[in-house]
Amino acid sequence: MRQSKLLMPTLREAPAEAEAISHQLLLRAGLVRQLAAGIYTYLPLGRRVLRKLEGIVREEMDKAGGQEVLMPALQPAELWRQSGRYEVYGPELVRLRDRHDREFALGPTHEEVITALLRGEISSYRQLPATLYQIQTKFRDEQRPRYGLLRGREFLMKDAYSFDADWEGLHRSYMAMYDAYHRIFTRCGLNFRAVEADAGSIGGEGGTHEFMALADIGEDTIASCTCCNYAANLEKAEYGIAHMDAAVVEPATPERLQTPGIKKIEQLTESLGHDASVFIKTLIFVADGNPVAILVRGDHEVNEIKVKQALAIDTLALADQETTERVTGAPTGFAGPVGLAIPVYADIAVTQMASAIVGANEVDYHLANIQPGVHFNSMASGDYRNAAEGDRCPRCEEGRLQFHLGIEIGHVFKLGTKYSEAMEATFLDASGKAQSLIMGCYGIGVSRLLSAVIEQHADEQGIVWPASIAPYHVHIVPVSAKDDTQMALASQLAERLTAAGIEVLLDDRDERPGVKFKDADLIGIPLRLTVGRQAANGIVEAKLRTEAAAKELTIEEALTMASLLSAGQ
Ligand code: 9G3
């Protein structure tokens, strides 16, 4: 491709609103342009990378036994009513009416569509297992689209759905996808972790794993063990409970502490000179409409997903100021467990405290020397908190948990019969009995992958593409477009490389060398062949984007190096 013909509008600076490095580089390197918030056009360079990503996903899905289909984006609301999800989702689900005033949704995902399809096509266990997948545009009207392709409102997803006759079959289908995901993300050059996750809104009875690309811009926190391969999304990460002998409880007399206007743990530790771990945080929530108090140690954070599961409740939200004052007699920050008339649930670590400082349920006062089980009791205790860095690993004895930030690039779920039951998608088993299809679903954010790769493969000069997904393999840069010898050699090189199946971008622009080299570093093609003064001797300068040094090669040596690089993907 001749660069003078390529629509690749590079920018010196990224627009101010682009915070994530990948967002800045997508715009500066001319890969995408925004049409509206969270909605992007892929320019030629971005489209080429996206096609490479799709290609890797497609190859590995096919190798894992997936069959590619393509489902509509327009989905009848009727299907979402059958699955019971039409009312569950709010403004995030894009809804519209057709010319006959019939209700539709623009698909954010395709469980309903694929289950309705298989309901009509699968009638016997002999037709199972089947795993169908598509690479298709999804619509989710995110409230705050941001970070470019990392959180868009129209994006490219590979979504796969497996159908089995029984749970053993589902485990096999799930593992086939799980292993394929490892191969896909490895081939994309990503540093990723598979973590145990929370099934969230999709429900389903089995397990679920998320695949996280490690990156500081990531919105998910991963807890992983320093020794074994335990890793989990912080939403559900467990920790080893250090076995503690029952605290020897010396009788103590509660002491009122005047703490005017001191509400936050940080202020309390500051003013009272105690470590946060001697405090108990009392958080008032409304659980399925009823106020409850959740207690965690001062240095811990409440995990609302764990509380909802432990208390088997559907809705849980922090109580507003008015409710807090009504049930505790004091504003938030002075709430405490002593003398509360509402149910109190204490995290395990709280029950292990010999003595603690708590809110006095009176404005501007706290209580010291409070002993759990003596000065207050709890309805129940359990794991209500986030794992903390340094906690013991829940799987191995010697490991400790450490945190990383990650971008969710994949998510695999065991759905069981959640959708097949709701939509009556059954098959006849070997004994002729009707059974609900056992399902799994498996997603990869293909457009999000593009950003995740850039987050992990960039430096001050720009993008550093892995060869497997680079828009071109070789960037030929003649130093002067006016020098006939250089241009002749550059064109000959481009032809020979192209004939060998290597993808070449030839910078034939009449620009100063500095501009050409800056653009070459920005767009990050793996191998740059500079054609300069030595052109007359058939010598070019080869430089890998991943290395600072360059070396002089003959044409033949350059062709060999380019072949090795393009084959290495
Ligand atoms: C919706 C809207 C947003 C959604 C969903 C439904 C996320 C929804 C979860 C999934 C689960 C899996 C198949 C591929 C892998 C992920 N956001 N999810 O179901 F209506 Cl507006 O999509 N689906």
Side-chain angles (χ1 to χ4, degrees):
M1 178 68 193
R2 291 181 173 279
Q3 204 163 321
S4 60
K5 303 279 185 289
L6 178 63
L7 176 64
M8 185 185 76
T10 55
L11 304 172
R12 275 283 151 267
E13 301 296 326
E17 76 268 9
E19 299 161 63
I21 182 68
S22 55
H23 189 191
Q24 294 166 9
L25 289 173
L26 282 170
L27 296 171
R28 285 194 50 218
L31 274 76
V32 301
R33 283 295 179 271
Q34 179 174 306
L35 177 64
I39 300 171
Y40 289 86
T41 297
Y42 295 90
L43 299 180
L45 227 47
R47 184 69 186 106
R48 287 180 71 93
V49 179
L50 201 62
R51 284 176 58 80
K52 297 268 180 91
L53 291 166
E54 288 175 35
I56 291 172
V57 169
R58 190 166 277 120
E59 274 171 30
E60 295 300 338
M61 280 292 119
D62 291 347
K63 270 191 331 200
Q67 298 178 63
E68 186 169 8
V69 298
L70 182 59
M71 290 178 262
L74 278 172
Q75 304 182 10
E78 177 47 32
L79 290 183
W80 285 73
R81 289 203 171 92
Q82 285 173 25
S83 70
R85 292 212 288 179
Y86 202 62
E87 310 316 329
V88 167
Y89 284 91
E92 192 186 350
L93 180 60
V94 181
R95 303 160 200 257
L96 66 133
R97 287 179 180 277
D98 69 7
R99 62 188 304 167
H100 309 294
D101 212 28
R102 284 189 287 251
E103 289 178 288
F104 283 80
L106 279 184
T109 182
H110 282 68
E111 280 80 7
E112 283 79 1
V113 174
I114 195 76
T115 305
L117 174 73
L118 281 255
R119 170 173 63 191
E121 305 305 330
I122 299 284
S123 54
S124 159
Y125 70 101
R126 289 190 183 83
Q127 296 171 277
L128 299 172
T131 295
L132 306 171
Y133 77 93
Q134 64 174 352
I135 299 178
Q136 195 246 29
T137 302
K138 294 287 185 288
F139 300 86
R140 294 179 185 178
D141 197 355
E142 297 278 351
Q143 183 156 22
R144 285 191 61 224
R146 58 184 187 159
Y147 299 156
L149 301 179
L150 284 178
R151 180 175 292 280
R153 292 195 289 168
E154 178 176 338
F155 56 94
L156 196 60
M157 183 197 275
K158 184 286 300 174
D159 45 325
Y161 305 86
S162 64
F163 298 86
D164 282 279
D166 52 37
W167 277 84
E168 290 67 36
L170 170 57
H171 294 318
R172 283 193 295 276
S173 299
Y174 185 90
M175 284 318 295
M177 289 290 108
Y178 184 91
D179 294 340
Y181 277 40
H182 272 83
R183 289 194 294 275
I184 288 166
F185 300 135
T186 303
R187 287 183 60 186
C188 292
L190 282 167
N191 175 16
F192 68 93
R193 297 285 186 286
V195 304
E196 296 177 26
D198 177 67
S201 62
I202 192 73
E205 295 115 62
T208 170
H209 285 85
E210 282 169 345
F211 288 78
M212 297 288 191
L214 302 190
D216 290 344
I217 199 74
E219 295 183 330
D220 286 273
T221 300
I222 304 160
S224 59
C225 175
T226 50
C227 292
C228 73
N229 60 4
Y230 175 72
N233 191 312
L234 189 58
E235 287 170 350
K236 74 164 290 176
E238 302 160 53
Y239 43 85
I241 304 286
H243 175 71
M244 287 174 72
D245 301 331
V248 176
V249 182
E250 299 290 329
T253 312
E255 180 193 345
R256 275 163 59 88
L257 306 175
Q258 192 166 18
T259 53
I262 295 179
K263 305 179 181 182
K264 295 263 177 262
I265 286 291
E266 303 73 46
Q267 294 170 304
L268 279 165
T269 52
E270 183 69 34
S271 67
L272 300 178
H274 286 292
D275 181 72
S277 61
V278 307
F279 292 91
I280 291 176
K281 275 191 281 199
T282 302
L283 297 128
I284 309 301
F285 282 89
V286 178
D288 282 354
N290 309 310
V292 298
I294 306 292
L295 310 184
V296 294
R297 211 172 69 188
D299 55 331
H300 290 155
E301 299 299 328
V302 165
N303 180 309
E304 295 184 19
I305 291 176
K306 288 182 179 178
V307 172
K308 279 172 77 170
Q309 280 166 357
L311 274 55
I313 48 181
D314 293 326
T315 62
L316 182 76
L318 272 176
D320 58 23
Q321 193 65 263
E322 188 273 329
T323 306
T324 300
E325 300 224 10
R326 180 165 49 80
V327 300
T328 69
T332 316
F334 297 102
V338 178
L340 274 188
I342 57 174
V344 173
Y345 296 91
D347 177 70
I348 299 161
V350 167
T351 63
Q352 294 176 335
M353 295 171 81
S355 169
I357 298 174
V358 304
N361 288 329
E362 185 184 342
V363 66
D364 293 345
Y365 278 90
H366 280 75
L367 298 175
N369 307 331
I370 295 300
Q371 297 169 318
V374 176
H375 298 115
F376 71 89
N377 284 304
S378 50
M379 289 279 281
S381 66
D383 174 11
Y384 305 146
R385 71 172 174 90
N386 279 340
E389 285 209 280
D391 276 350
R392 289 165 180 271
C393 170
R395 295 287 185 280
C396 74
E397 282 316 302
E398 57 282 352
R400 287 292 183 277
L401 294 181
Q402 60 186 17
F403 287 1
H404 300 279
L405 288 173
I407 299 167
E408 181 191 332
I409 49 178
H411 204 156
V412 291
F413 299 78
K414 290 179 184 171
L415 288 175
T417 56
K418 173 177 162 66
Y419 290 87
S420 49
E421 239 157 51
M423 300 179 71
E424 296 175 345
T426 60
F427 66 98
L428 293 182
D429 66 14
S431 61
K433 185 166 171 293
Q435 304 279 10
S436 292
L437 290 165
I438 309 285
M439 293 174 61
C441 66
Y442 316 88
I444 290 179
V446 179
S447 44
R448 183 179 275 183
L449 275 185
L450 216 168
S451 285
V453 170
I454 299 175
E455 286 292 333
Q456 293 191 351
H457 293 271
D459 61 17
E460 287 68 42
Q461 285 70 44
I463 303 169
V464 186
W465 289 116
S468 57
I469 56 171
Y472 294 93
H473 300 126
V474 177
H475 201 170
I476 299 176
V477 181
V479 170
S480 162
K482 291 192 171 62
D483 182 309
D484 295 344
T485 311
Q486 289 179 18
M487 291 309 285
L489 181 59
S491 302
Q492 180 206 359
L493 202 47
E495 276 157 35
R496 291 195 58 184
L497 286 168
T498 306
I502 292 161
E503 296 165 25
V504 175
L505 180 62
L506 168 59
D507 190 348
D508 61 341
R509 297 174 300 164
D510 186 7
E511 292 280 359
R512 292 193 323 278
V515 168
K516 292 186 170 189
F517 293 140
K518 258 192 188 308
D519 276 352
D521 285 343
L522 176 60
I523 66 175
I525 290 167
L527 173 61
R528 187 175 81 206
L529 299 178
T530 303
V531 183
R533 282 187 305 283
Q534 294 269 25
N537 311 325
I539 299 290
V540 298
E541 183 194 78
K543 180 186 171 302
L544 288 172
R545 181 63 179 81
T546 50
E547 289 171 14
K551 54 186 172 186
E552 295 194 338
L553 300 179
T554 64
I555 300 304
E556 293 314 314
E557 287 165 336
L559 288 170
T560 304
M561 184 176 186
S563 300
L564 288 174
L565 177 125
S566 68
Q569 49 186 308

